[in-house]
Structure formats: structure tokens, C-alpha cells
Amino acid sequence: MADVYRWCLAPDGLATRRQLRAMGLRPGGQDVVAELHRPRRRKTPLVAYLYRVDRAKPVRPMTPARAAALAAAMLARRTCPNCHVDAGYCIPRSLGMCVTCHDAPAA
């Protein structure tokens, strides 16, 4: 069972995934060491998982192949399936097409 700490009371040497990422680190396969609970009124508390900073590994560098794959994935998210044009923004999943195609009157 992992230790449980209240909000802002975690000891030094523990960090969340986002805090590790800001330091240029990643958990690196280590198990969760503790949980951080942030209480909320009339709701279940927010939970954040904590990892040991001393056992974290550096973030893997971006390779040209990974950069190309990421660029292709983002292009697919920006391309409208109706008009096949790069909209310049990520197409909303709720619409399923660019705003221009969605707002155009039906033929």
C-alpha cells in the first residue's frame, strides 16, 4: 500500500509525472511510491501519484523519426475529412469536420 499525503504535505524527493517532466525526467518504470490527496467539498478527493525523483530517468530525446510521426499525426487531426483541407487547427471531434463545412448550408 502506497503512503497517502494531504495536499502540499508530501515530503521532498517525491514528484508527480508533470513535476518530473518539468525537470526533464520520467518515472522510468518505477512503481508509485505515494498518493497525494486534495480534498474537495461534497466530492471525492483529487488523487495524484508520486514517484521518487532520485530513481527517475531522463526523458528520451526526440528523434527525427518520432518528430516526423508526430507531425503526421497532427496533420491528420487538422485535415477536414469533408473538404480535405488543412484547417490550421485541430478538428473538433464533436463536429467531425471543420467549422466552415459544419456551418455551410446542406445542399
Side-chain angles (χ1 to χ4, degrees):
M1 176 71 183
D3 295 332
V4 177
Y5 298 101
R6 287 188 54 94
W7 189 251
C8 296
L9 296 178
D12 292 335
L14 299 180
T16 63
R17 281 182 178 270
R18 285 189 180 194
Q19 290 169 334
L20 288 175
R21 186 64 177 200
M23 292 184 258
L25 301 171
R26 61 185 169 95
Q30 65 174 302
D31 292 331
V32 173
V33 176
E35 291 182 1
L36 189 65
H37 286 208
R38 179 177 179 214
R40 299 187 298 173
R41 292 183 187 193
R42 296 184 211 117
K43 294 183 180 179
T44 59
L46 295 176
V47 177
Y49 299 113
L50 300 174
Y51 302 90
R52 289 180 45 178
V53 176
D54 59 345
R55 293 181 61 193
K57 296 180 180 176
V59 174
R60 295 183 187 118
M62 181 67 73
T63 63
R66 287 177 65 195
L70 182 60
M74 291 306 295
L75 178 63
R77 288 184 64 192
R78 292 191 315 261
T79 304
C80 177
N82 255 7
C83 61
H84 305 289
V85 174
D86 183 353
Y89 56 87
C90 289
I91 304 296
R93 291 179 60 187
S94 60
L95 301 179
M97 60 187 77
C98 67
V99 176
T100 307
C101 289
H102 183 265
D103 290 344

